[in-house]
Each structure stands twice: as structure tokens, then as C-alpha cells.
Amino acid sequence: MTLEEVVGCNITDKKMDTVSQALEELLVAAQRQDCLTVGVYESAKLMNVDPDCVVLCVLATDEEDQDDIALQIHFTLLQAFCCDNDINILRVSGLRRLAQVLGEPTVDNSEPRDFHCILVTNPQCQPLKCQALKDVGNYCEESRCKNQWIPYLSLQER
């Protein structure tokens, strides 16, 4: 391994950690301001009604979801819609971490929320203003410049 490869890997790892942290901060801020839509079907309904208010689509899977054909079809359709409407998209792994970040109750008898698709909205009347939104948006834009249209992040358990 060359010096450039070692330094490049370290910079990339730090960038991913920074973006992962920014994503977590953004999701918490959006949830506090009621600018979050959780669930594949709920997200599809919102994008059908008001796609202009959506600023980020987070598609989350873990290894056990890779064989879920229905979920993959939904993701393909959501990704196409987001690309057509200039909505930033992030693919992430770490559903458990998303549940922790968004304060999912761990009560066994309640139906768990579907964290496979999360939309961050930015209503015109009260825009969501936070550095985390800018950081995540910049990361998505940088990825598109590198021809990586749907960037991927791995959320780490803490």
C-alpha cells in the first residue's frame, strides 16, 4: 500500500464519519421540527403530493434486507423519482442505529416503525436551517460529481 492510498483512506474514513454524524444531527433536528416522514408508503404518499418540500431521501437497509425483492423494487422507484425531482438521496446501513437516533421505543408489543425510507422535508413557511443539512447536501452533490449518484453511508452502533 502506498502513502497516497493510506492517507486517502484516512481522509475518506474521516469524511464518512463526519457525514454520518451530520446525518444523525439532521434527522434529530428534523424530527424536533416535525419535518420527518418515516416509512416507505408514507414517503411515497408525501412525494406524490408535494415533492418540492422534500430535501433528502434516506433509504436504509441491512444485510437481511438485501433479498427482499419488494423492498428493492420500492427503492428503485423512489430513487428514480428522487433523481427526476432533484431530491438528494442517501443509502445507509444501520437500521438499529436509525431507530436509536430517532428514539424508537423498545417495547415488544408495539409495532416497530418502518425506517427503510425516511424523508426530510423543508417547508417554505418555516425552513429547516441547520449546518447538518448543508453538510449532507454537499456530500450528496460531491458524490454526484464523482458519478456516484446514490452515495452510501454505514451508520455505526454507539
Side-chain angles (χ1 to χ4, degrees):
M1 193 174 250
T2 66
L3 178 61
E4 290 84 10
E5 290 173 331
V6 171
V7 172
C9 288
N10 288 340
I11 291 170
T12 302
D13 290 345
K14 288 179 184 175
K15 175 83 172 172
M16 293 297 210
D17 289 343
T18 303
V19 175
S20 294
Q21 179 139 8
L23 176 62
E24 290 180 13
E25 290 172 14
L26 172 60
L27 293 175
V28 169
Q31 185 177 38
R32 263 192 248 120
Q33 294 184 20
D34 200 27
C35 295
L36 210 61
T37 300
V38 177
V40 172
Y41 296 109
E42 293 82 358
S43 297
K45 283 191 280 186
L46 174 67
M47 285 196 286
N48 188 43
V49 173
D50 191 8
D52 294 333
C53 76
V54 179
V55 293
L56 178 66
C57 177
V58 178
L59 300 175
T61 58
D62 283 330
E63 283 186 31
E64 60 267 10
D65 298 318
Q66 297 303 321
D67 294 332
D68 186 341
I69 301 300
L71 183 63
Q72 298 307 320
I73 291 170
H74 286 297
F75 279 8
T76 301
L77 294 171
L78 288 166
Q79 289 168 9
F81 187 87
C82 289
C83 287
D84 286 346
N85 289 279
D86 296 321
I87 298 169
N88 287 325
I89 312 167
L90 268 179
R91 291 285 301 246
V92 300
S93 65
L95 284 168
R96 240 183 271 146
R97 179 64 189 152
L98 280 175
Q100 288 174 344
V101 168
L102 296 175
E104 178 69 9
T106 56
V107 179
D108 291 333
N109 60 358
S110 67
E111 183 71 26
R113 292 197 297 176
D114 174 17
F115 288 106
H116 288 104
C117 183
I118 300 173
L119 297 182
V120 177
T121 57
N122 202 358
Q124 299 297 324
C125 59
Q126 189 177 13
L128 182 65
K129 295 177 183 171
C130 66
Q131 184 62 40
L133 177 58
K134 292 176 188 170
D135 292 343
V136 172
N138 288 340
Y139 176 70
C140 291
E141 188 174 329
E142 289 170 13
S143 295
R144 283 192 299 275
C145 289
K146 297 175 187 173
N147 284 330
Q148 183 184 4
W149 292 97
I150 302 171
Y152 175 82
L153 286 176
S154 179
L155 299 178
Q156 302 299 319
E157 295 286 329
R158 295 192 181 146

